[in-house]
Amino acid sequence: MAPILLAVDKIYTRALVWFRYDLRVHDNAALARALRECREVVCVFIFERTPPADGVHGSDGVDAPQTDRRLEFQRESLLQLDAQLRALGGGLMVRHAIAAQEIPALARALAVQAVYVNREGDPRVHEASQRLFGRLAADGVLLHTCKDRVIFEHDEVLTSEGAGFTAFAAYRRAWLARLAQNPTALAAHPVEREAAALTPPPPGFDQPPPALAELGLQPSNLCDLPLPPGVQGGAAMFGNFLARIDRYLAMRDHPALRGPSYLSVHLRWGTLSVRQLVRAVHPLALQGHAGAKAWLGELIRREFFFQLPAHHPQLAQGKSFHSAFDRIIWHHGKHADALYAAWCEGRTGYPLVDAAMAQLRVSGYMHPRLRNLAASFLCKCLGLDWRRGEAYFAQTLNDAEFALNNGNWQRIASCGCDAPPWWRSPDPVEQSRRIDPEGKFICRYLPQLARLSAEAIHAPWQATPAVLEAAGIRIGADYPAPIVNHISEAQRTLARYAIVKNAVEHGTSRGKRGRKRGSGV
């Protein structure tokens, strides 16, 4: 069906906007474009009934009864999105279905000429998008995809040879240079002035967000966490962060302090616009504001990770960036499974690692610096395949998304691009003393250790019997003994990684640089 040319530059009579990871009205690229180009715009969100076919990396599927804070966050955010749309004269249809089938069916039922959606930025969904494009085209419906989740996509910041960057420092310079040349990249996508095109769902299609039980979910502790959902929660958290951004650089590495922005979950679900965040901090960074400059760097690092899988498709296939690392022989078998279970459940005997895993378990969030610590411990102290940790984080983190999760895990395992040397194996006890010196974070999540002194709490097994007795701690009963000796495991790590010693260049000069960081917004 050919587009129908209409007055005032409207090219479609009716269109469908499909919300996915952009749960807001303000500054929404797909919604703004649809409102400009269409006389009537109907909006829909679909809770996926089946997960993506990528079992290795986790999914958002909801078929099996479970407690899933991510889907609960989505549902709470959808209630606010629906209210925003209704205030502008529209509304939101919410379905629990298979999107690849439901979107074409809705397009036919609503007689739309086009479907608008923001690109997710995950290369693993490209094939599914192509299939959907074909199904819609067969009915004469066009699929328009828009850039919304990043400032610059994978093909917009390239090397002088036209390739993707593999070094973050070079990417950051190129990203900032491109922004200087293209300041309109931060421009908001206005919605309100074209909102008259918003149309309420027709009778019979007006389905509110389903109850948790309808999704096969049980209530979690989401509402009790200091991570409020929706655009209202995102706005409040961003305002809080801006008020303390001058302390970000000094406090971001200390999990007992309120250092990070805690906005990663809002970036994940699009309840905040990344353009809004960069518009706020970029001018401060240009003025030399250290906290704003550091946090802007983390937003840029997020886009660095996003562009990697597009240029290196083996990443989406569960392979290492440097193929030589796929030859590493990791622990496997029943003993490895027991080590992995202890790591997941926070029973390693290393307090800060266990506290980090407890934080993840009770909140769906983990402090950025602790993600590095937990990941390094899994790979270089337990000798377990980084893919096991990647899968666990994908299943449990509220803000989990493939590119960032994969990029950070490969970096920590030293098999990714721009990673620290493979022979660097951080000491978990030394790290604990450095970033949680008084043990406050440990005490918060491991209260059984709260009576230990700041000196003893980082390595309880090294405390004297008298100290342990005074604190009411019995190693092996009240708190586990270490499941490995991290000092001897560091030597085994060197032996394990030696298989790639001559295959990948990690010059010793890199080991003299500052500590490598992961994305920690």
Side-chain angles (χ1 to χ4, degrees), residues 10 15-17 29-39 41 116 197:
K10 301 288 187 176
L16 181 67
V17 172
L31 178 61
R33 181 179 172 186
L35 293 174
R36 286 196 311 271
E37 298 180 351
C38 310
R39 279 194 170 177
V41 173
Y116 292 79

Side-chain angles (χ1 to χ4, degrees), residues 381-392:
C381 287
L382 301 184
L384 300 179
D385 193 334
W386 59 270
R387 297 168 186 83
R388 301 186 76 165
E390 180 200 17
Y392 185 73

